[in-house]
Each structure stands twice: as C-alpha cells, then as structure tokens.
Amino acid sequence: MRYRLSDIARMCGGELHGEDVEVRGVTVDSRSCAYGGDVMFAAMRGANRDSHEYVADMYGRGVRAFMVERLAGTMPHEGAGYVVTENSVEALQRLAAAHRAAFRGVMVGITGSSGKTVVKEWTACSLPPAVRFLASPMSYNSQLGVALSLLMIEGDEDVALIEAGISERGEMERLERMIRPDVVLFTSIGDAHQANFSSLREKIDEKMVLARNARTFIYHSHYGDVAEALGALPEGCRVVDAAVESVAELPACNEALRVDAQEVKSLCRELGHPVFRLSLGDAAMRMEVKEGVSGLRIVVDSYNSDINSLALALDTLRDVAAGGASTAVIYDMSHSGMDDVELYGRVARLIRNAGVDRVIGVGERIGAHAAAFDCDKRFYDTAEQMLSAMTHDDVAGRAILLKGDRRSHFDKVCRALERRCHTTVLEVNLNAMTHNVNYFRRFLPMNHRLVAMVKAHSYGAGDAEVAQLMRHLGVDYLAVAFADEGITLRERGVTMPVVVLNADAASFDKMIAYSLEPEIYSFHSLDDFIRCAEGYGVRNYPIHIKLDTGMHRWGFLEEEIDRVAEILRTAPQVRAATIFSHLSCADDPAQDDFTREQIALFDRMSRRLSDALPYKPIRHTANSAAIERFPEAHFDMCRLGLGLYGYGYCHNDELQPVATLKTRIVQIRRRSAGEAIGYGRSQRLERDSLIATIPIGYADGLDRHLGGGRWSMLVSGRPAPTVGRICMDSCMIDVTDIGGVGEGDEVVVFSAAAGNTLEDMASVLGTISYEIMTSVAMRVKRIYTRE
C-alpha cells in the first residue's frame, strides 16, 4: 500500500490533523520492530489495553503517521500526522475494504473450523514461481488480522490468499465486506468455537456468508453438513468437491490461479491427498525456535520468504536475542510488488529497526543489493557456501534467524547448527500460549496486572522462550520455584521482575546479585533477608509477603500481621512489592464455599497489612481457575499457572494446549504370534504383528505404567498401542493395522490436536496434567512454533 494520511482519512471516514505523511504500512503493535518513518501506528482502546499511551514512544522511534481514537493525551508532535476516528479497528476495516477494491488479482478467502493456515500455506507453495502472490501472515484471520493482511497488498500480485476466522454470529459479514473473495476454500467443519452458536448448521451458515459473491467454492464432501448448505451460494458459482479424482482443481482452481495441473498433481501425490486432512507437519509452515551449538539460538522460518513475514520473524529474533548478538540469514525475497531496489531497501530498514548486528545474504538478488545494508554483512550464492565459510565465532552465543523458502536449503543449515540430536521433541505452540493469555484477560479489567508461572521450566515447556513471550504480551511478573531457575532466566537475557517462590537463606546472596525477588513466608526468612540486604547496602529491595489463608503450606497467619507490618515499617532495606496467598481448591465447585472464605480472609489480612504500611503493595490471590470463577479474587493482580499452558479445570474449546510430544519410528520388525516383547517377556503377541521401536522411554518422561497397551500413540493419525514394558530410552508399539507405515514415520505421543490428549494420559495414570508436563525430561529437545 502507498497512501498519504489525507487519503486514509477519506477512505476510513476519519479526520486528518497535522502533517499529510505518506504511509507504506500499518502496525498496531508498539513492541514490533516492523516500523519506520513510512509506517502508520494505529492506536486503539481494547478490553485490556489502551495503546494510545505508546504513541509518544513510537514517535521517538521514528514513526510520524498515526491513527488514533482521541488526540487528547497523545501529545501531537512536530512533523507528525494523525487520523482521528471513533474506532480504530472499524476504521482499519474500512481502509482495508477500500484498498482491496483496487486489487485486480484473484482474491481467495479461506475459512473453516480448522486447517485454514495449513491450506493457505499449501496453496501458496503450490503456485508456480512466476505467480506473484500475497498470503496473510501466520494466522491473521480475525477482524483486525484480516484488515492488516489486506493492507499488505502492494497491488500487482496475481493472487491474494486471506484467512477468515469467526467465533460468533455477525463476524463473517464484516470480513466478507473486506475480503470480497473470488474463490472460497472451505477447509472443514467441527466443534471449534461452537460456544456462541446454537447449532453446527448455524455456524456453517455464518461461514457461508464469505462465499455470497464468490465465483468458485471449494469444499470436501466428507463434510455433509457443508454440502447441504450449498444452496446459499450465488447463482453461477462453480462448486469444486475436493474429494474428486481431479486433484488438480483442489488448491488453486486451475486457470483462475494460473496453476499448472501436472505440478499440482505431483504435489498432491507428494503430500498426501486430500489436502484438507494435511497435518501442520506436512505443510512445514511454522516458525520454530531451536537450540544450537555453542549457546546458539536458532529461529527457523524457512517455508516462505516475503517482506511481510520477514517483519514478524525479526520480532521473534529480537525476543530470542534478548539484547544479545543476533544474525539474520536471509534468502532472496519472493515477489513483493516492488522492484529489487525498493524491496531490499525495505529489508535493510527492517533489519536496522530490529537491532540486528549482522546480515548474511544468500542468493544472487540480495547479494546485488549489499550496499543497502549498513551493518556487518556477508553474502553467498548458496547455503552450502555459507556453511563452508562459517566459524565457531560466527555462531557462539548468538541468536540466528534463518529466513527463506524451500529453495534456500536452510533445513540443511539448521541441521548443521542444531545442538541436540534426540529424535523425540516437545513442540511448544507459542500461538496457543498467546491465545490462552488473551482468553484469561477477557475476565479482567483493562491493564490488570498478571504474573506468569514459569517454574519447573515453565511446567516443562521451557524457560527463556516462554519468558520472552510473556514480556512481549505485557505480563508484569514471572514466578519461579527456586533461585537457580531465576538465574537461568537472567543469564538468558530475561530482564522482567522475577519472584522466587521457594526462597531460602542459602540463596539470598545470589538472588540479590541477579535481581531476583524473594517470597517471604516466615519471620525467620524475613529477618534473614533483611540482614542479607543490609550487608549489600541495598534499600527498598522488593519482597513478596505470603499469607496463609487456608492452604496451610506456608505463610504468615492473621495474628502475625501486626508484627509483620512493624518490621516492614522499620526496615528500610526492603519493601513489600506484593502481598499474596494461594487458593487451594478454586478449581473444585464442590468446595466453593471454602474458596470464598479464603478470598474473604485474604482481603481482610492483606488490607490490614497494606493499611499499616506507608505505601500500597500489590495484592493478588487468584490462580487460573479463580480468574474465571471468582471475580472478587482479582484484586490488583492475578496469576496464570497451568491455564497458561492450556490445561486446568475448565475443559472447553477456549483453552488451547500448547505442548505436543512427538518422536519417530527407528525400526520395524515382523513378529509371530506367541513371541514375547520387551523386558521380563511380560507381553506375548496374540497374532502375527508389525512392531515398531521408538526412541522414547521413562528417562524421557514416558511413565512405565503406560506399557502393555495402556496407552496408544498415533501413527498416520491412527492408534498404535504400546507393547511390552516401557524401557529407559525406548519402547515398542503395534503398527499392524496401519497401512504404509515405515521407519522414520512420525509418532505422536500426546497431542490435543491429534486427539490423544495429555488429560487422557493423566486419567490412565491416575494423576494430573501438571505431573506429566513437568516430567518430560530436559534431554528432550524443545521446539517453539508459531504458525
């Protein structure tokens, strides 16, 4: 896009104040590095945040174009222009609709209950190189995300692929007005986001609104309910059934999207037809964060290479680098609607804004524009040349972004730089974690403070990666169990306030050295920490006072409050940053009366202590369950524990489990009926069987009680029960009934998306999700994904 603010004001119905600045892009995230002098920052008042408070900061970082809902408080600055509108989201939607109206390529809208991002990326990678296209980044399919996606259109693309997601009635009407698709891909229909619809048919009818003016509609007749709704399509609309044999019609509608039929048939055979049942792994379309050699952190985004996705990838690189050294390895950019001089000039500006201190270009086109980059830079024709030239000093202690597409061969680069070779991996979905934070924020006032529990390596999900995401999401505090966990975060560049819950006198020196804040739960610990702080000559060191309101684990009692207050008033070395307690059964409706008693007691005790101090500490007692179930427990701050990771008492479609445990088959053998499998010859086969060995055992966190068929893993989406005992480093599964299985095939140990959930495993073991999550061994590689 390229507009002046006066054009934007006219198109969205706003009013221009200040300078008529030229705009080449839009951002709504003040933490993003994807901004510059030609980007407009759109400020808005949301349910939890008011981003108008960041206008001055964005101006200080070079932004001169703004969309605001009020001028008062935004402090108009010299040289800046402001489009004032009543509602920024609605204004961006009107702007996006007007921008889309000028687009002359083929517009493809993609909707459905699941698989939208997979199908979008699969369709994009099926297009021949000569086709210029734009695909909405990641899962930008919301009311705001669709508008931002459409505004990325430069104008000379042949095809635009835009996702459209809804969760309630009336939303698709607004999305359709913006997208106005020529082609609609309907991926699937299921129970996701069903809460706001009275029936499945009502949800289908809402989704079908996207196709009310479409020329082509593609769906899979496996979903009969969708087939019954085809009567809502406009007259003359071409209907394509994805179940037909002519798979060349599936992803891109033949001549409409200029796709070579033979090329698509070949790709269908390679990936596995039908397209609508592809897994995320088949499309290989996620951004991943991996551990590398010599302290290297690797951000892998190698499924496409365009200017819009580069900006998002650089945000992740900046978070992973956490102020340390960073390198962006960039392959030749895909078609973008710009000539190469302008394209690589913008790439260089994004690199500069992200604070990247080294660029490595791979490919002829980026190498021809080396002069655009003003940092440490190197250029190579191929990835192989780059690998040959790399030294230990090039990678040690750095964060590296590998940004390319399938032509880049960056998968080889990643394999060469990865530290761990364990076949078993725990995939942590950062998009799901973001969704869960936003879900709980629905129940809280705007700007309400949050603590994220990242103890036990974030319940097994990792440490610094989760911590940096929490910082990016505006979480106020992190909480760990022991000082060593906090030290790890500090050494990984995490600067957020960190509370140590199991603080003891032996760790107080280290805590002060690393700016960690102790939980204080007894007079003994309070006196010890005051003495330690005095020895270091510190004043007003933040501490966190724990009250016992019925959990009876530790904490001060009500009759001790006056003495606590007296000590705090007379000890200048420390300051009570927060007063808190722990609800023991907020997730159990049968004990709600006791929980309310706890909340009332905490209110009385914490208020009494706070009133006795010359300052006002933050008060908090609500955990994940209480955030949703007990509004009276919200106080000044709330804590996100297991709910952050998608688990807890509330089994609904709203929370998204973040963890998927996967491995691969390393050997397959045919065994005869009567043969015994594994240690102790504990299980004999009742039939001739195909037995696969996989490299995961109880040393990796797979409980021994899951052996003997008590748990089934998934291979090609089908159950494969365990056979024999779980070994220390491996186990065996029965794949007899799964056709086409081979060595190297993926095995899903647990996954909410696949259907063998962590809660199901916990039920089999008679335990809780917490225990299983935290039991996944640290030798299992963690991979952090973003769609």
Side-chain angles (χ1 to χ4, degrees), residues 206-263:
E206 177 70 18
K207 290 181 179 293
M208 292 294 289
V209 170
L210 184 64
R212 65 184 179 185
N213 294 302
R215 299 197 303 265
T216 303
F217 181 83
I218 305 175
Y219 81 111
H220 196 293
S221 56
H222 167 78
Y223 300 101
D225 293 318
V226 178
E228 293 176 3
L230 296 180
L233 294 173
E235 184 177 354
C237 180
R238 176 189 177 202
V239 178
V240 178
D241 180 1
V244 299
E245 292 298 321
S246 180
V247 296
E249 294 182 314
L250 296 187
C253 292
N254 277 350
E255 69 284 351
L257 301 189
R258 303 154 176 86
V259 173
D260 178 81
Q262 287 305 122
E263 181 176 342

Side-chain angles (χ1 to χ4, degrees), residues 676-699:
I677 303 296
Y679 280 117
R681 307 183 72 208
S682 59
Q683 183 175 350
R684 292 184 180 273
L685 298 176
E686 297 179 356
R687 60 175 180 172
D688 293 346
S689 303
L690 198 62
I691 304 299
T693 300
I694 55 176
I696 181 172
Y698 58 79

Side-chain angles (χ1 to χ4, degrees), residues 3-10 16-17 19-23 40 64-67 80-83:
Y3 298 111
R4 304 201 76 84
L5 283 181
S6 55
D7 300 320
I8 292 175
R10 172 179 50 79
L16 175 61
H17 293 258
E19 299 298 319
D20 194 11
V21 179
E22 184 176 80
V23 172
M40 179 178 74
R64 294 296 178 267
F66 299 91
M67 176 181 285
Y82 300 79
V83 173

Side-chain angles (χ1 to χ4, degrees), residues 195-211:
N196 295 317
F197 296 96
S198 61
S199 65
L200 188 66
R201 180 55 190 262
E202 184 179 60
K203 183 167 62 175
I204 292 173
D205 290 343
E206 177 70 18
K207 290 181 179 293
M208 292 294 289
V209 170
L210 184 64

Side-chain angles (χ1 to χ4, degrees), residues 523-594:
F523 291 113
H524 185 74
S525 64
L526 179 57
D527 293 340
D528 283 346
F529 191 80
I530 290 172
R531 280 195 298 271
C532 186
E534 185 175 22
Y536 280 92
V538 299
R539 297 177 66 87
N540 293 317
Y541 198 96
I543 62 175
H544 302 265
I545 303 298
K546 178 67 173 291
L547 306 181
D548 183 357
T549 60
M551 179 78 169
H552 301 326
R553 184 166 54 184
W554 46 50
F556 291 101
L557 300 174
E558 186 168 18
E559 57 266 28
E560 297 173 326
I561 292 297
D562 291 341
R563 184 181 167 194
V564 174
E566 177 62 24
I567 294 173
L568 291 174
R569 283 197 303 266
T570 57
Q573 298 87 356
V574 297
R575 187 176 194 272
T578 76
I579 305 169
F580 73 109
S581 187
H582 196 100
L583 301 176
S584 58
C585 47
D587 58 347
D588 184 358
Q591 301 194 62
D592 282 355
D593 288 344
F594 179 76

Side-chain angles (χ1 to χ4, degrees), residues 19 111 125 137-138 199 220 272 319 399 426 434 516 535 649 713 758:
E19 299 298 319
T111 192
C125 72
M138 301 200 302
S199 65
H220 196 293
D319 286 344
L426 184 74
T434 299
L516 305 174
Y649 89 96
M713 303 179 195
L758 194 66

Side-chain angles (χ1 to χ4, degrees), residues 306-376:
D306 62 77
I307 190 71
N308 297 314
S309 62
L310 174 61
L312 299 169
L314 287 170
D315 282 341
T316 301
L317 175 64
R318 185 182 58 175
D319 286 344
V320 170
S326 60
T327 299
V329 181
I330 302 175
Y331 188 70
D332 282 347
M333 290 276 110
S334 301
H335 295 295
S336 63
M338 294 174 271
D339 61 45
D340 279 1
V341 173
E342 182 179 6
L343 172 62
Y344 290 107
R346 292 190 69 181
V347 170
R349 287 196 296 276
L350 288 174
I351 293 289
R352 189 182 310 116
N353 290 334
V356 175
D357 57 345
R358 179 179 297 162
V359 171
I360 298 177
V362 179
E364 294 180 0
R365 290 171 55 219
I366 191 171
H369 298 276
F373 300 89
D374 55 7
C375 58
D376 180 16

